Amino acid sequence: MAEPEQPEFARERHVLFLEAMASELPADYASQEVNHLTLAYFAVAGLSLLRELDSVNKDQIAKWILSFQVHPKTDNELDNGQFYGFCGSRTTQFPSTNMKDPCHNGSHLASTYSALAILKIVGYDLANIDNKVLLSSMRNLQQPDGRYAF
Amino acid sequence: MAPSSTSSEGASDEWLPPSRRPELADVVPVTQDDGPHPVVAIAYRDEFREVMDYFRALYFAGERSVRALHLTAEVIDLNPGNYTVWHFRRLVLEALDADLREEMDFVDRIAECNPKNYQIWHHKRWLAEKLGPDIANKEHEFTRKILSMDAKNYHAWSHRQWVLQALGGWETELQYCNQLLEEDVFNNSAWNQRYLVITSSPLLGGLAAMRDSEVDYTVGAILANPQNESPWRYLKGLYKGENNLLMADERISDVCLKVLKHDSTCVFALSLLLDLLQIGLQPSDELKGTIEAIKNSDPEADEAVDADLATAICSILQRCDPLRINYWSWYRTTISSQT
């Protein structure tokens, strides 16, 4: 094959790589498991940038993302100082009913961003998200000096 | 490489899957529920999956035991970023009233391979808080080691500063800064640390007591490398909130003058002079002459000869600091509106 005069963007290879990642990540990513939604965001957002979202099952992705959302059981729980967003992975999403002494609900601010971004990218109607719960409980993460705990 | 197990006494022992260990025979592993249609699924290796399944069982049961402690060590080896495991490990350590010095040795071995893992540094702080001031020097030795490999590691610096303020160990810290700056005078982290020591060490008497000697030190560093921004910023920091002292100290305008005689485009010297003039410095004839000469060296200069010194410096800065040309242009308008 002739050497191209100018380096060209290997578009097809990027598409194939991102499609593979959107389906299954190699074992080396196990050490990033707590950031699973962020990994998913890079795969889905990358395909979106390349206009190749038709190759993924958007409904399945949306369902998968929504399964990471943490809901307060009652409105009173909103006052317990916790954040009700999305967990970043299964490992950090231990169902509290199964546990002897749950420590926190596992919501993670950066992963919540990834979740919402993915939902928007795949065309999920964000009006179905309870943004009131998200926003009011997010305030619990703000530190006295203005910074946010994750 | 198979994960190491702290429960194994012999170094030559092969790794044994949890399902084949007698001490875990009664544990029913809990598999991870990825749901019916997992997306971006991680292809876990068998050993990773099995260790996690056994950990999950003990975690759900809330079992605070020696075997839980050992199992969390294995999980951490496999995935040091898993903060759920670290949290559970702390619960186990407390329940067992474990030797936290041994735990610190354990976490330090992991930290050396993962020097930028948030969970590890968080765990170290938790341990140090419990162990108290006795551990301060050991923590300083550790961060020193990490920083010798990566001089900018934010986690190590953050931990070091916290240990100093919470647990002590100030005695040798200024000497440590001296050593780092001798090795690399461009190490801005070391300049930052030096500022913390000068201002916060309970042994040195504070900024006012140290300012004079620190100015001498800093002027020396500036003259050695005038393009090194760190000592210029440090110098201004020494007079934070004390503009009158900054203006009154002849060493400040002197170092600017010395630098500009060798390099008339030194932005740091020019902008510091500008600050001094704005504070109210009465420029010497030598200073006026130097600035005038720099201004006149520009063949495109169209400034009136009678422009004041601050305006002239702004014009020079617009020329030799093009990245901030808009800022200097704006700054010049503020000077004009004052006169």
Side-chain angles (χ1 to χ4, degrees):
Chain A
M1 179 184 295
E3 191 71 22
E5 292 181 3
Q6 296 292 335
E8 292 179 0
F9 177 62
R11 191 178 187 285
E12 281 310 309
R13 291 170 67 183
H14 278 77
V15 172
L16 290 172
F17 174 79
L18 291 168
E19 282 174 353
M21 295 300 104
S23 168
E24 186 176 77
L25 292 167
D28 289 336
Y29 283 91
S31 63
Q32 285 298 322
E33 198 268 345
V34 293
N35 295 314
H36 204 173
L37 257 64
T38 300
L39 299 176
Y41 169 76
F42 285 125
V44 174
L47 287 171
S48 173
L49 281 173
L50 295 172
R51 310 283 195 262
E52 295 283 349
L53 272 183
D54 288 345
S55 61
V56 301
N57 187 321
K58 299 188 183 70
D59 286 343
Q60 269 182 22
I61 291 179
K63 282 178 185 161
W64 183 71
I65 295 291
L66 292 171
S67 72
F68 288 98
Q69 189 172 13
V70 182
H71 304 271
K73 295 182 182 60
T74 65
D75 285 344
N76 290 337
E77 276 203 346
L78 276 176
D79 294 328
N80 64 11
Q82 294 192 42
F83 170 51
Y84 288 93
F86 289 76
C87 297
S89 69
R90 285 302 173 219
T91 297
T92 54
Q93 186 199 31
F94 283 109
S96 58
T97 51
N98 286 27
M99 287 185 57
K100 187 174 175 182
D101 36 24
C103 51
H104 60 86
N105 69 39
S107 284
H108 187 258
L109 187 59
S111 299
T112 298
Y113 168 81
S114 294
L116 294 173
I118 293 169
L119 289 173
K120 184 167 179 63
I121 289 169
V122 300
Y124 179 80
D125 186 357
L126 288 177
N128 295 327
I129 297 287
D130 190 341
N131 65 320
K132 183 180 168 187
V133 167
L134 268 176
L135 289 171
S136 60
S137 64
M138 188 184 290
R139 289 193 196 102
N140 294 327
L141 295 176
Q142 190 160 31
Q143 308 296 293
D145 62 4
R147 290 177 297 153
Y148 271 84
F150 272 57
Chain B
M1 178 173 72
S4 63
S5 169
T6 55
S7 65
S8 171
E9 293 301 327
S12 60
D13 283 7
E14 283 197 8
W15 181 75
L16 195 65
S19 58
R20 292 170 52 195
R21 298 177 201 168
E23 73 269 20
L24 295 173
D26 61 305
V27 178
V28 180
V30 177
T31 57
Q32 177 165 301
D33 179 9
D34 273 332
H37 300 293
V39 177
V40 198
I42 298 175
Y44 300 114
R45 295 189 182 96
D46 288 344
E47 66 210 14
F48 185 100
R49 189 184 304 277
E50 182 167 328
V51 170
M52 284 302 300
D53 290 352
Y54 274 79
F55 162 76
R56 208 169 281 117
L58 297 186
Y59 184 44
F60 281 4
E63 180 180 314
R64 320 283 212 256
S65 64
V66 172
R67 65 181 186 178
L69 189 69
H70 293 162
L71 206 54
T72 57
E74 282 186 70
V75 177
I76 285 165
D77 246 6
L78 289 166
N79 184 359
N82 188 332
Y83 48 85
T84 300
V85 181
W86 284 103
H87 176 270
F88 182 58
R89 186 174 176 88
R90 284 190 282 277
L91 297 179
V92 174
L93 288 166
E94 286 187 314
L96 297 179
D97 197 22
D99 183 338
L100 297 186
R101 284 185 174 266
E102 281 185 19
E103 178 68 6
M104 190 66 96
D105 290 338
F106 162 76
V107 72
D108 283 355
R109 286 194 297 275
I110 300 184
E112 287 186 34
C113 299
N114 301 276
K116 293 191 172 173
N117 177 291
Y118 281 89
Q119 286 73 42
I120 289 169
W121 290 99
H122 178 74
H123 196 65
K124 280 181 69 62
R125 181 185 283 214
W126 180 82
L127 291 169
E129 278 171 349
K130 290 183 173 299
L131 288 165
D134 287 348
I135 202 80
N137 286 333
K138 191 166 184 293
E139 289 306 287
H140 291 324
E141 280 171 33
F142 183 78
T143 53
R144 190 173 192 135
K145 184 194 294 186
I146 297 292
L147 292 168
S148 70
M149 296 183 283
D150 176 5
K152 292 185 189 229
N153 186 322
Y154 168 84
H155 301 278
W157 279 117
S158 186
H159 189 69
R160 190 174 186 95
Q161 293 194 346
W162 175 80
V163 170
L164 282 167
Q165 295 173 96
L167 305 176
W170 292 97
E171 293 79 11
T172 55
E173 195 63 9
L174 185 55
Q175 178 51 40
Y176 179 53
C177 295
N178 284 333
Q179 177 201 321
L180 291 179
L181 291 173
E182 281 166 17
E183 291 166 7
D184 178 12
V185 74
F186 292 88
N187 184 345
N188 191 57
S189 299
W191 284 101
N192 187 61
Q193 184 70 356
R194 191 182 187 98
Y195 193 78
L196 176 81
V197 176
I198 296 302
T199 55
S200 302
S201 168
L203 309 176
L204 296 179
L207 182 52
M210 296 294 295
R211 182 178 287 122
D212 192 62
S213 59
E214 286 298 295
V215 169
D216 279 338
Y217 177 89
T218 311
V219 165
I222 287 173
L223 292 174
N225 291 281
Q227 292 302 329
N228 182 2
E229 182 169 7
S230 298
W232 289 100
R233 297 216 168 265
Y234 185 81
L235 188 64
K236 280 210 73 181
L238 292 175
Y239 291 94
K240 186 177 177 184
E242 300 280 5
N243 276 349
N244 289 336
L245 295 181
L246 175 67
M247 178 183 57
D249 193 331
E250 292 178 358
R251 291 175 293 181
I252 312 302
S253 52
D254 278 356
V255 69
C256 295
L257 199 51
K258 280 196 179 82
V259 167
L260 286 173
K261 286 182 173 177
H262 281 95
D263 173 13
S264 60
T265 66
C266 183
V267 173
F268 308 125
L270 289 164
S271 60
L272 182 50
L273 271 181
L274 192 53
D275 291 338
L276 291 170
L277 291 171
Q278 292 301 98
I279 293 169
L281 175 76
Q282 297 303 313
S284 66
D285 289 339
E286 185 181 16
L287 183 58
K288 291 176 189 172
T290 301
I291 297 300
E292 192 70 14
I294 297 174
K295 186 167 77 77
N296 292 338
S297 69
D298 180 12
E300 299 179 14
D302 59 352
E303 295 303 312
V305 177
D306 59 357
D308 67 24
L309 204 59
T311 303
I313 293 178
C314 271
S315 300
I316 298 166
L317 281 163
Q318 285 179 262
R319 191 174 81 230
C320 61
D321 190 13
L323 193 62
R324 297 180 189 83
I325 189 169
N326 290 338
Y327 172 73
W328 297 123
S329 179
W330 166 82
Y331 199 120
R332 198 172 138 184
T333 63
T334 67
I335 296 174
S336 304
S337 64
Q338 286 173 24
T339 57

